[in-house]
Amino acid sequence: MDTPLHLLIATDSESSADALLAELRRAGYAPDGTRVEDEDGLRNALASGSIELVLADAALTDPSPLRLLSVLEEHAWDGPVIVLAQESDEALVVAALHAGAGDYLTWGRLARLGSAVGRELRAAHGRRRREEAERARKEAEERYQALVDEIPALTYISWADPFGSPVYVSPQIKTLTGYTPAEWLADRESWVRSIHPEDRERVVAELTRCREQGQPFSCEYRTVTREGRVTWWRDDGRFLTDGDGRPQFLRGLIVDVTERKQADETIRRLMYYDALTGLPNRSLLLERLQKELAESRTLGRALALLLLDLDHFRQVNNTLGSENGDRVIQEVARRLSDAVGGADQVARLRGDEFALLLPGGDATLGRQVAARLLKALAQPVMIHRLPVEVGASIGIAVAPDHGEEGETLLRRVDLAMQAAKRAGESPVVYSSACDPYDPHRLVVLGELRRAIESDQLVLHYQPKVDLKDGKVLGAEALVRWRHPKQGIVPPDRFIGLAEQGGLIKALTGWVLDRAVADCRSWELEGRTLSVAVNLSARNLQDPQLADHIAALLESRGLPPGRLELELTESAVLADPRRAAETLERLDDSGVALAIDDFGTGYSSLAYLRKLPVSQLKIDKSFVMAMSNNHEDSMIVRSTADLGHNLGLTVVAEGVEDKPTWDMLGQFGCDAAQGYYMARPMPGAELSAWLRDH
Ligand code: C2E
Ligand code: MG
Ligand code: MG
């Protein structure tokens, strides 16, 4: 089959054209030729067709072969041109070859035309292929560059050194950091320095680890832009090694993930925070509890968990409506957070239940914090100018004493909180006594009830001595249980149980009865002493207490001023309104009132001033150590001063040695109690002690 060939023959000689066509046919082509004999013809032919080859007669003068070549170039035609010349046209031929013609033939050797055309076509084909390849390569390169320049990611190459000193960065560095690539590359610490100070150490350590272990570097961290904006980067890089296999460069890609991080944060807020108060919710508390428990186990330290539940909140909701109920919850949340000095610490578990974790805290710290929380709720919440009282009950459980698992701890802190509700006094630290289903508790409760009825309880008395002249002013009644099997049981082991088990009214009744009777008998012996009795929170909420005491004093014939009642700050704060009412009535009847264990709670003296108390008993925990603890002695001294300024008598408990006794005298304290003077003793021994004193 002959090869088709579209060609253009520039000659003004028809016979020459025919000769060329005939020769091509002979060489195996099927030529389809257009003959042009002037420049216009040439231009028309070029415009109209797909010409593969041009044969130019050197004899043509318009256009001349040189002119023809320049017209072809003008039309960006890049096929082969063969010039046909006479032997004598040598100079012209050389010029034409310089100007881009591919080959030339003399008319006399036309037989070579076929092979010349074949060679020229192949060469042109090869040239075109190379050009095409080159163009494709260029295009690809441009597309890639555009990609690198335009994708919202930064590509970089840096040295595998501790600074990640930059070698190359793509132009996105400008959008990402505000620095141009040139500025970025000028400083070998630009990367390290742009990392957020809080993340820097972690990121550099991770980079070093990956380099040393030959692993890809993959890290998310915060950076600070030139304008000081904080953004999140995700950085993925691989190390390129040198000839010896040592990491030399890090090549990687950085994507700005700030938006994703913000979305994560929103989701986190929804999952872990309470919408009404903005406080951490139950899920977050549980997560933290697990984490802190693990940490406490490793460090061998304690962990306290507090659970606070508002009292009568349902009533608030029912009377004021749930919208106002929500307001109360918000105000409570705010006060509790303020009280512990951190917005993120108190969690709202559900409804009116709040919780607080104290890593490293024991029961003592738990009690102190609980007192602070209760104090924060002592003032009523104002709703539409209406004061709403919000008392609360608090339970405390401590790991590892009350459980090492989160579940156990949560169950037990709940039991402690419920026990606090029943007792009407907070906080209650978990003990088996809190568990209503603990069979042991029921047995002990039954025993205690019988003990009260059958006079198994006894009172010991500890004298209270005047610091100025050493005169005995009175005695404090401290109850003990003479258990048939266990012997003498101290009050700390059963008072809590009596409060929670509904026996405290009977117990206090028994103690009052006996103490008043004993005091009266001292009087009959000729000793004018007062007697002090301790009250529980529940007693203060008993509306009959004041009447009962008045009747008792009357029937025994003891002047009311001879009886002192001791109550703790937390007992008052458990239900401040009702406590205040009871205290007013007791005061009216002439009984003296004292604040016991002062300093362990958080009530201010200003608050106490509103109560009709006449005596302040500084807690023994400050007094016991004050002779060799400067801080404690300062607390005792300033408490004494403040107490006096409020017109109160100041008594120090827990005086164990002479230096303490002397110091208290210098501080101006009025009276003291403690092992140094006398331990609590049975009533019968007191008379003998008083004689010898
Ligand atoms: P409290 O009212 O603060 O009584 C003082 C406690 O400190 C007594 O412990 C007493 O024995 C102890 N104490 C006195 N001087 C010293 C001293 O120099 N050093 C040391 N280390 N301790 C000293 P007790 O008798 O075990 O009573 C403990 C608590 O039990 C009392 O603390 C009181 O809150 C409560 N309690 C005792 N009797 C009754 C009661 O009849 N009714 C109620 N509701 N609670 C009572
Ligand atoms: Mg007391
Ligand atoms: Mg005390």
Side-chain angles (χ1 to χ4, degrees), residues 462 476-480 491-492 495 504 507 511 534-536 566 596-597 620 624 653-656 673-675 680:
Q462 186 179 38
E476 177 176 4
L478 296 158
V479 72
R480 275 99 182 89
D492 290 337
I495 294 287
I504 196 68
L507 188 143
V511 172
N534 293 283
L535 294 186
S536 285
E566 298 188 0
D596 202 354
D597 300 348
K620 59 175 178 286
M624 276 158 56
E653 301 179 318
V655 181
E656 293 188 344
Q673 253 179 273
Y675 293 172

Side-chain angles (χ1 to χ4, degrees), residues 44 59 62 120 190 219 246 248 342 562 631:
N44 289 342
D62 179 29
E120 282 306 308
S190 47
C219 204
R246 277 188 303 255
Q248 190 177 18
R562 214 58 72 64
E631 200 178 314

Side-chain angles (χ1 to χ4, degrees), residues 589-621:
S589 70
V591 174
L593 299 171
I595 292 290
D596 202 354
D597 300 348
F598 184 77
T600 55
Y602 269 82
S603 29
S604 63
L605 286 170
Y607 172 69
L608 294 179
R609 184 156 60 171
K610 294 188 200 146
L611 301 173
V613 292
S614 58
Q615 201 177 101
L616 205 66
K617 298 185 79 177
I618 305 177
D619 190 63
K620 59 175 178 286
S621 60

